[in-house]
mmCIF file of all heavy atoms in Angstrom:
data_model
loop_
_atom_site.group_PDB
_atom_site.id
_atom_site.type_symbol
_atom_site.label_atom_id
_atom_site.label_comp_id
_atom_site.label_asym_id
_atom_site.label_seq_id
_atom_site.Cartn_x
_atom_site.Cartn_y
_atom_site.Cartn_z
ATOM 1 N N SER A 1 2.995 -8.722 -1.427
ATOM 2 C CA SER A 1 4.057 -8.620 -0.423
ATOM 3 C C SER A 1 3.724 -9.505 0.766
ATOM 4 O O SER A 1 2.566 -9.639 1.149
ATOM 5 C CB SER A 1 4.228 -7.170 0.038
ATOM 6 O OG SER A 1 5.182 -7.080 1.083
ATOM 7 N N ASP A 2 4.765 -10.059 1.360
ATOM 8 C CA ASP A 2 4.626 -10.860 2.574
ATOM 9 C C ASP A 2 4.487 -9.993 3.816
ATOM 10 O O ASP A 2 4.012 -10.441 4.855
ATOM 11 C CB ASP A 2 5.876 -11.756 2.699
ATOM 12 C CG ASP A 2 5.911 -12.578 3.976
ATOM 13 O OD1 ASP A 2 5.062 -13.470 4.130
ATOM 14 O OD2 ASP A 2 6.794 -12.312 4.823
ATOM 15 N N SER A 3 4.868 -8.723 3.693
ATOM 16 C CA SER A 3 5.090 -7.868 4.867
ATOM 17 C C SER A 3 3.923 -6.948 5.186
ATOM 18 O O SER A 3 3.483 -6.161 4.339
ATOM 19 C CB SER A 3 6.354 -7.025 4.628
ATOM 20 O OG SER A 3 6.470 -5.996 5.579
ATOM 21 N N ALA A 4 3.453 -6.997 6.436
ATOM 22 C CA ALA A 4 2.419 -6.066 6.895
ATOM 23 C C ALA A 4 2.972 -4.649 6.983
ATOM 24 O O ALA A 4 2.242 -3.676 6.745
ATOM 25 C CB ALA A 4 1.881 -6.505 8.256
ATOM 26 N N MET A 5 4.250 -4.500 7.318
ATOM 27 C CA MET A 5 4.852 -3.166 7.364
ATOM 28 C C MET A 5 4.943 -2.563 5.973
ATOM 29 O O MET A 5 4.728 -1.362 5.790
ATOM 30 C CB MET A 5 6.231 -3.222 8.028
ATOM 31 C CG MET A 5 6.160 -3.371 9.536
ATOM 32 S SD MET A 5 7.758 -3.178 10.361
ATOM 33 C CE MET A 5 8.585 -4.658 9.852
ATOM 34 N N ALA A 6 5.259 -3.390 4.977
ATOM 35 C CA ALA A 6 5.284 -2.894 3.603
ATOM 36 C C ALA A 6 3.892 -2.438 3.184
ATOM 37 O O ALA A 6 3.740 -1.406 2.522
ATOM 38 C CB ALA A 6 5.799 -3.981 2.662
ATOM 39 N N GLY A 7 2.864 -3.196 3.587
ATOM 40 C CA GLY A 7 1.495 -2.811 3.273
ATOM 41 C C GLY A 7 1.110 -1.499 3.923
ATOM 42 O O GLY A 7 0.409 -0.668 3.325
ATOM 43 N N GLU A 8 1.574 -1.300 5.146
ATOM 44 C CA GLU A 8 1.295 -0.045 5.849
ATOM 45 C C GLU A 8 2.000 1.127 5.162
ATOM 46 O O GLU A 8 1.428 2.210 4.991
ATOM 47 C CB GLU A 8 1.753 -0.172 7.300
ATOM 48 C CG GLU A 8 1.216 0.878 8.234
ATOM 49 C CD GLU A 8 1.536 0.573 9.694
ATOM 50 O OE1 GLU A 8 1.133 -0.510 10.172
ATOM 51 O OE2 GLU A 8 2.184 1.414 10.339
ATOM 52 N N ALA A 9 3.258 0.894 4.744
ATOM 53 C CA ALA A 9 4.009 1.930 4.033
ATOM 54 C C ALA A 9 3.349 2.252 2.698
ATOM 55 O O ALA A 9 3.284 3.425 2.289
ATOM 56 C CB ALA A 9 5.450 1.482 3.818
ATOM 57 N N LEU A 10 2.863 1.232 2.007
ATOM 58 C CA LEU A 10 2.168 1.450 0.731
ATOM 59 C C LEU A 10 0.989 2.394 0.907
ATOM 60 O O LEU A 10 0.821 3.356 0.146
ATOM 61 C CB LEU A 10 1.693 0.111 0.169
ATOM 62 C CG LEU A 10 0.758 0.179 -1.038
ATOM 63 C CD1 LEU A 10 1.500 0.664 -2.270
ATOM 64 C CD2 LEU A 10 0.093 -1.168 -1.291
ATOM 65 N N LYS A 11 0.160 2.135 1.913
ATOM 66 C CA LYS A 11 -1.010 2.983 2.150
ATOM 67 C C LYS A 11 -0.599 4.423 2.446
ATOM 68 O O LYS A 11 -1.213 5.379 1.949
ATOM 69 C CB LYS A 11 -1.841 2.407 3.294
ATOM 70 C CG LYS A 11 -2.500 1.081 2.975
ATOM 71 C CD LYS A 11 -3.254 0.524 4.176
ATOM 72 C CE LYS A 11 -3.863 -0.840 3.863
ATOM 73 N NZ LYS A 11 -4.554 -1.424 5.043
ATOM 74 N N LEU A 12 0.445 4.597 3.255
ATOM 75 C CA LEU A 12 0.926 5.940 3.571
ATOM 76 C C LEU A 12 1.415 6.667 2.319
ATOM 77 O O LEU A 12 1.110 7.851 2.105
ATOM 78 C CB LEU A 12 2.059 5.867 4.597
ATOM 79 C CG LEU A 12 1.698 5.522 6.042
ATOM 80 C CD1 LEU A 12 2.968 5.323 6.859
ATOM 81 C CD2 LEU A 12 0.852 6.629 6.662
ATOM 82 N N ASN A 13 2.170 5.946 1.484
ATOM 83 C CA ASN A 13 2.816 6.596 0.353
ATOM 84 C C ASN A 13 1.851 6.904 -0.792
ATOM 85 O O ASN A 13 1.961 7.962 -1.421
ATOM 86 C CB ASN A 13 3.995 5.746 -0.125
ATOM 87 C CG ASN A 13 5.148 5.790 0.867
ATOM 88 O OD1 ASN A 13 5.368 6.791 1.530
ATOM 89 N ND2 ASN A 13 5.874 4.686 0.991
ATOM 90 N N VAL A 14 0.910 6.010 -1.070
ATOM 91 C CA VAL A 14 -0.050 6.345 -2.128
ATOM 92 C C VAL A 14 -0.941 7.500 -1.670
ATOM 93 O O VAL A 14 -1.310 8.374 -2.472
ATOM 94 C CB VAL A 14 -0.893 5.120 -2.561
ATOM 95 C CG1 VAL A 14 -0.014 4.057 -3.202
ATOM 96 C CG2 VAL A 14 -1.695 4.539 -1.411
ATOM 97 N N SER A 15 -1.267 7.541 -0.384
ATOM 98 C CA SER A 15 -2.075 8.635 0.138
ATOM 99 C C SER A 15 -1.316 9.957 0.086
ATOM 100 O O SER A 15 -1.861 10.986 -0.331
ATOM 101 C CB SER A 15 -2.511 8.330 1.572
ATOM 102 O OG SER A 15 -3.212 9.412 2.140
ATOM 103 N N ALA A 16 -0.041 9.939 0.489
ATOM 104 C CA ALA A 16 0.764 11.161 0.509
ATOM 105 C C ALA A 16 0.953 11.743 -0.881
ATOM 106 O O ALA A 16 1.151 12.952 -1.039
ATOM 107 C CB ALA A 16 2.123 10.882 1.148
ATOM 108 N N ASN A 17 0.885 10.883 -1.908
ATOM 109 C CA ASN A 17 1.103 11.339 -3.280
ATOM 110 C C ASN A 17 -0.177 11.351 -4.106
ATOM 111 O O ASN A 17 -0.124 11.496 -5.329
ATOM 112 C CB ASN A 17 2.151 10.450 -3.942
ATOM 113 C CG ASN A 17 3.522 10.607 -3.312
ATOM 114 O OD1 ASN A 17 4.249 11.527 -3.616
ATOM 115 N ND2 ASN A 17 3.853 9.702 -2.387
ATOM 116 N N GLN A 18 -1.315 11.198 -3.408
ATOM 117 C CA GLN A 18 -2.623 11.208 -4.060
ATOM 118 C C GLN A 18 -2.657 10.252 -5.244
ATOM 119 O O GLN A 18 -3.183 10.562 -6.322
ATOM 120 C CB GLN A 18 -2.983 12.625 -4.514
ATOM 121 C CG GLN A 18 -3.112 13.610 -3.345
ATOM 122 C CD GLN A 18 -3.499 15.011 -3.785
ATOM 123 O OE1 GLN A 18 -3.067 15.475 -4.820
ATOM 124 N NE2 GLN A 18 -4.338 15.662 -2.992
ATOM 125 N N ALA A 19 -2.083 9.074 -5.025
ATOM 126 C CA ALA A 19 -2.046 8.028 -6.048
ATOM 127 C C ALA A 19 -3.077 6.958 -5.711
ATOM 128 O O ALA A 19 -3.520 6.836 -4.570
ATOM 129 C CB ALA A 19 -0.648 7.419 -6.115
ATOM 130 N N SER A 20 -3.449 6.181 -6.714
ATOM 131 C CA SER A 20 -4.424 5.112 -6.497
ATOM 132 C C SER A 20 -3.739 3.895 -5.888
ATOM 133 O O SER A 20 -2.570 3.611 -6.165
ATOM 134 C CB SER A 20 -5.109 4.726 -7.807
ATOM 135 O OG SER A 20 -4.147 4.336 -8.774
ATOM 136 N N THR A 21 -4.469 3.193 -5.051
ATOM 137 C CA THR A 21 -3.947 1.985 -4.399
ATOM 138 C C THR A 21 -4.003 0.806 -5.365
ATOM 139 O O THR A 21 -5.020 0.592 -6.023
ATOM 140 C CB THR A 21 -4.768 1.660 -3.144
ATOM 141 O OG1 THR A 21 -4.719 2.774 -2.253
ATOM 142 C CG2 THR A 21 -4.224 0.426 -2.433
ATOM 143 N N PRO A 22 -2.926 0.035 -5.483
ATOM 144 C CA PRO A 22 -2.953 -1.119 -6.379
ATOM 145 C C PRO A 22 -3.856 -2.225 -5.835
ATOM 146 O O PRO A 22 -4.263 -2.197 -4.673
ATOM 147 C CB PRO A 22 -1.492 -1.569 -6.407
ATOM 148 C CG PRO A 22 -0.944 -1.120 -5.093
ATOM 149 C CD PRO A 22 -1.638 0.174 -4.783
ATOM 150 N N ARG A 23 -4.173 -3.169 -6.685
ATOM 151 C CA ARG A 23 -4.918 -4.359 -6.253
ATOM 152 C C ARG A 23 -3.981 -5.205 -5.387
ATOM 153 O O ARG A 23 -2.903 -5.607 -5.818
ATOM 154 C CB ARG A 23 -5.397 -5.158 -7.462
ATOM 155 C CG ARG A 23 -6.079 -6.484 -7.112
ATOM 156 C CD ARG A 23 -6.621 -7.147 -8.370
ATOM 157 N NE ARG A 23 -7.132 -8.478 -8.092
ATOM 158 C CZ ARG A 23 -6.449 -9.609 -8.294
ATOM 159 N NH1 ARG A 23 -5.212 -9.552 -8.782
ATOM 160 N NH2 ARG A 23 -6.982 -10.780 -8.021
ATOM 161 N N LEU A 24 -4.397 -5.481 -4.157
ATOM 162 C CA LEU A 24 -3.545 -6.191 -3.206
ATOM 163 C C LEU A 24 -3.728 -7.695 -3.345
ATOM 164 O O LEU A 24 -4.853 -8.206 -3.375
ATOM 165 C CB LEU A 24 -3.863 -5.750 -1.780
ATOM 166 C CG LEU A 24 -3.734 -4.247 -1.496
ATOM 167 C CD1 LEU A 24 -4.057 -3.956 -0.042
ATOM 168 C CD2 LEU A 24 -2.340 -3.737 -1.857
ATOM 169 N N ILE A 25 -2.610 -8.402 -3.396
ATOM 170 C CA ILE A 25 -2.587 -9.868 -3.476
ATOM 171 C C ILE A 25 -2.266 -10.403 -2.082
ATOM 172 O O ILE A 25 -1.186 -10.143 -1.548
ATOM 173 C CB ILE A 25 -1.526 -10.354 -4.482
ATOM 174 C CG1 ILE A 25 -1.763 -9.746 -5.868
ATOM 175 C CG2 ILE A 25 -1.506 -11.879 -4.545
ATOM 176 C CD1 ILE A 25 -3.050 -10.136 -6.518
ATOM 177 N N GLU A 26 -3.193 -11.124 -1.491
ATOM 178 C CA GLU A 26 -2.969 -11.656 -0.144
ATOM 179 C C GLU A 26 -2.461 -13.092 -0.159
ATOM 180 O O GLU A 26 -1.890 -13.560 0.821
ATOM 181 C CB GLU A 26 -4.264 -11.559 0.664
ATOM 182 C CG GLU A 26 -4.684 -10.115 0.920
ATOM 183 C CD GLU A 26 -5.774 -10.008 1.949
ATOM 184 O OE1 GLU A 26 -6.268 -11.045 2.425
ATOM 185 O OE2 GLU A 26 -6.146 -8.863 2.293
#
């Protein structure tokens, strides 16, 4: 993703659902 806000939302949502974080492509 190009978006820092999307990255922040990703961290919140995987944490809230006790899911694993994907491999991030920078």
Side-chain angles (χ1 to χ4, degrees):
S1 175
D2 176 67
S3 168
M5 284 189 290
E8 195 171 302
L10 171 70
K11 293 177 182 178
L12 287 173
N13 289 327
V14 295
S15 176
N17 293 279
Q18 297 181 323
S20 57
T21 302
R23 175 175 173 262
L24 303 181
I25 303 297
E26 294 192 356

